[in-house]
Amino acid sequence: MDVSTFQSLNSGIGVFNAENKTFLIPQMNGTGAYLLAAALRSFGIQAQALDTYNALDLGKEYTSGKECLPCLITTGDILKFLNDEKEKEGPLFKPDNYIFFMPESDGPCRFGMYNKYQRIVLDSFPEFRSVKIGSLTSRDGYSLDGLVGYDVRVLRKAAYLSVLITDILNRLVWRIRPYERTEGETDRFIGKAVAIMEEAFERYGAQNAFGSILDLLDETVEQAGRIPDPSIEQKPLVGIVGEIFLRVHDQANQDLVKMLERYGAEVVNASLIEWINYTSYNRMRDAKMQFRLDLKQFRIGDAKEDLKDILTHAVDFFYQQYTQRRIYKRVQNNLPIAGDHRVAHLERILKRDDVFSFDVGTEACLSISGIMAYAENGFNGVVNVYPFTCMPSSITSSIAKPLMNKQGVPYMDVPCDASQQPGRETDIRTFMYQVYQHHRGNRDNGRG
Ligand code: SF4
């Protein structure tokens, strides 16, 4: 890399046309990356989900220990993939055929720096210098503009739907697994369901035939409804919030959801789509603030432009909300999976109790308000899971923990650092004891 100009940080990271390239998607949980890859393949992009968590040694070797855990994990994943490809392809290996997808957010935490850091790591291997890092940013709501050489609107809708259906399949699992008749039945079922949805996205995504995808989802939900044993009593409800990667990455969080289930909980984790909705909501919110400021200062021309921005962002945001509401309702007609929080409602909760502000940004505003919403809805315990030293999650802990103590709702922090935490199971058993006490005292757990 040209260290004096850091040119590679400009030329090697950004939005690149992915047609005819191998587009590599890091895995957070076992579903999302596969459905997104399938949706992109439908548009002619050779997308694939990267294997994960089997190259921690490489991740540790090429990070200093100060980076966030997701950065370490994904650095190991991409290095392992590229090394394997190089070995497999031999002289045919063409690094410029690959785009590694690493989105970013404009902070104020370190998520905006992963891709720069990984650029520096890839540049330190001469053979990987021309591997591109494809970065989408929260600044434009992760717009996919530029990824293909034609109108990106259907692609955006298909990508959004893939994340939404990932959430629904996850919610399905959390809803039925604690009540399954035979151990492992739900996991086997959902493995097949993901494969079916993957095929559906690949076949129908680019045709804009989302109705066919949703019909298959209906069948899946209907079959899933037969798994639970109705004679098993309602279990205590535990809500999870936290850093998006860690809370859905089962290996990185030591299989937190299953461990909670093993000790008697029914779990609801925060959704993936929440972050995408939040970035769209925030762009609309920022445009409104700018409009008020320009009006106050009589910058009428600018205020007119702001109005156009508000309208554009509002269209995006309301499309997302409408789609989410419609599909959740369709699913809930067959099986009462947990609903999702509305971003505007989360902001209202924070304003009402004056405990934090969307002005600060980061996932902290979603996590703090998410915890408060769980408590309001009668959950019997809440868990905040995050990479060790994560800034937004540490803020969440400092605010939410005393709040939950005051309300008598069991609360647990779960920091993760890629090592096996020997006391984790004991912590969870103690937490679950409190959850049971809460459940006994509050039989109405709010589901309805
Ligand atoms: S959210 Fe936490 S883990 Fe993610 S970049 Fe920010 S500080 Fe790191």
Side-chain angles (χ1 to χ4, degrees):
M1 184 179 63
D2 181 349
V3 180
S4 59
T5 61
F6 288 97
Q7 195 194 345
S8 161
L9 296 186
N10 292 321
S11 61
I13 307 173
V15 181
F16 303 103
N17 188 308
E19 287 162 280
N20 303 317
K21 302 277 181 201
T22 302
F23 194 73
L24 304 166
I25 304 175
Q27 251 196 84
M28 298 203 295
N29 79 347
T31 307
Y34 288 106
L35 296 196
L36 179 60
L40 296 182
R41 282 199 299 275
S42 170
F43 291 82
I45 298 169
Q46 295 159 27
Q48 70 179 79
L50 277 178
D51 281 347
T52 188
Y53 219 67
N54 50 13
L56 273 189
D57 49 344
L58 267 178
K60 285 179 186 165
E61 191 178 339
Y62 290 95
T63 49
S64 69
K66 294 178 188 164
E67 300 79 5
C68 303
L69 181 55
C71 180
L72 183 155
I73 295 170
T74 51
T75 301
D77 292 347
I78 183 62
L79 285 178
K80 173 152 184 10
F81 174 86
L82 291 173
N83 281 328
D84 289 351
E85 282 288 284
K86 195 179 70 163
E87 205 177 307
K88 195 172 79 193
E89 298 286 322
L92 295 177
F93 177 69
K94 287 207 179 95
D96 51 356
N97 268 350
Y98 300 93
I99 300 177
F100 172 49
F101 175 53
M102 180 47 64
E104 64 172 35
S105 127
D106 59 353
C109 72
R110 290 167 276 194
F111 188 28
M113 301 309 289
Y114 290 4
N115 52 25
K116 279 86 180 166
Y117 182 76
Q118 287 168 337
R119 180 72 267 157
I120 292 169
V121 172
L122 291 184
D123 285 344
S124 70
F125 296 88
E127 66 275 34
F128 299 150
R129 276 187 192 151
S130 48
V131 173
K132 295 273 192 274
I133 297 187
S135 180
L136 305 177
T137 171
S138 61
R139 276 191 297 277
D140 60 9
Y142 300 107
S143 144
L144 301 171
D145 288 340
L147 208 61
V148 286
Y150 48 86
D151 188 351
V152 87
R153 270 176 295 188
V154 181
L155 175 57
R156 285 189 67 181
K157 285 183 186 172
Y160 184 82
L161 187 64
S162 74
V163 183
L164 195 52
I165 290 187
T166 299
D167 280 339
I168 285 174
L169 292 179
N170 286 338
R171 270 157 205 258
L172 216 60
V173 172
W174 305 325
R175 182 69 187 89
I176 63 177
R177 192 166 52 197
Y179 307 96
E180 65 189 5
R181 290 181 175 86
T182 321
E183 199 182 330
E185 199 179 353
T186 306
D187 288 348
R188 283 191 294 278
F189 170 80
I190 215 69
K192 287 184 200 149
V194 171
I196 291 170
M197 296 314 297
E198 212 181 328
E199 211 186 305
F201 270 102
E202 195 161 349
R203 184 180 311 168
Y204 301 117
Q207 296 171 21
N208 204 1
F210 298 152
S212 304
I213 298 176
L214 293 176
D215 288 344
L216 284 167
L217 179 67
D218 286 343
E219 281 175 31
T220 302
V221 174
E222 211 246 314
Q223 289 163 14
R226 292 186 217 131
I227 290 180
D229 177 349
S231 68
I232 301 176
E233 264 193 25
Q234 167 68 52
K235 299 188 175 191
L237 274 176
V238 170
I240 298 183
V241 299
E243 191 273 335
I244 190 165
F245 187 94
L246 251 288
R247 70 176 143 79
V248 297
H249 196 295
D250 294 334
Q251 295 101 316
N253 65 34
Q254 283 184 234
D255 244 337
L256 175 68
V257 172
K258 274 195 178 163
M259 208 184 278
L260 286 163
E261 286 175 355
R262 199 175 329 130
Y263 289 104
E266 180 187 330
V267 173
V268 178
N269 201 340
S271 68
L272 294 171
I273 213 81
E274 171 188 270
W275 178 254
I276 298 173
N277 290 345
Y278 164 73
T279 56
S280 302
Y281 177 80
N282 241 359
R283 287 191 308 150
M284 189 172 73
R285 190 176 175 276
D286 288 348
K288 282 182 189 166
M289 275 167 30
Q290 190 59 44
F291 173 68
R292 281 195 289 271
L293 185 70
D294 285 333
L295 264 193
K296 226 177 189 173
Q297 299 182 347
F298 299 109
R299 293 194 294 250
I300 303 303
D302 289 347
K304 277 186 192 158
E305 290 304 311
D306 299 336
L307 272 180
K308 279 190 215 157
D309 284 347
I310 294 172
L311 195 66
T312 312
H313 301 325
V315 169
D316 279 353
F317 180 66
F318 289 116
Y319 168 78
Q320 292 172 356
Q321 295 281 281
Y322 167 73
T323 308
Q324 187 182 19
R325 191 169 43 230
R326 190 170 56 88
I327 296 176
Y328 264 71
K329 209 168 156 206
R330 185 170 170 155
V331 171
Q332 284 165 331
N333 282 339
N334 283 323
L335 192 76
I337 59 163
D340 200 2
H341 306 304
R342 317 233 104 215
V343 184
H345 177 63
L346 294 180
E347 186 177 23
R348 275 196 297 276
I349 291 182
L350 290 185
K351 276 189 180 154
R352 182 196 65 203
D353 290 9
D354 200 19
V355 288
F356 199 69
S357 167
F358 267 41
D359 292 336
V360 183
T362 79
E363 275 179 320
C365 44
L366 296 176
S367 293
I368 296 168
S369 53
I371 285 174
M372 293 165 76
Y374 283 141
E376 277 180 9
N377 290 332
F379 277 60
N380 306 108
V382 284
V383 175
N384 176 26
V385 54
Y386 54 93
F388 180 60
T389 76
C390 170
M391 291 182 276
S393 299
S394 304
I395 295 171
T396 300
S397 174
S398 66
I399 294 175
K401 200 187 222 166
L403 270 179
M404 291 303 104
N405 279 346
K406 215 159 136 189
Q407 294 182 26
V409 178
Y411 173 96
M412 182 170 72
D413 279 324
V414 178
C416 304
D417 65 357
S419 63
Q420 207 60 19
Q421 300 290 314
R424 175 68 41 84
E425 194 154 349
T426 314
D427 288 350
I428 286 181
R429 290 174 68 172
T430 311
F431 170 73
M432 282 306 299
Y433 173 77
Q434 297 169 344
V435 166
Y436 266 108
Q437 300 289 93
H438 188 276
H439 182 57
R440 255 196 289 278
N442 304 268
R443 283 286 168 183
D444 174 18
N445 63 23
R447 178 182 289 125

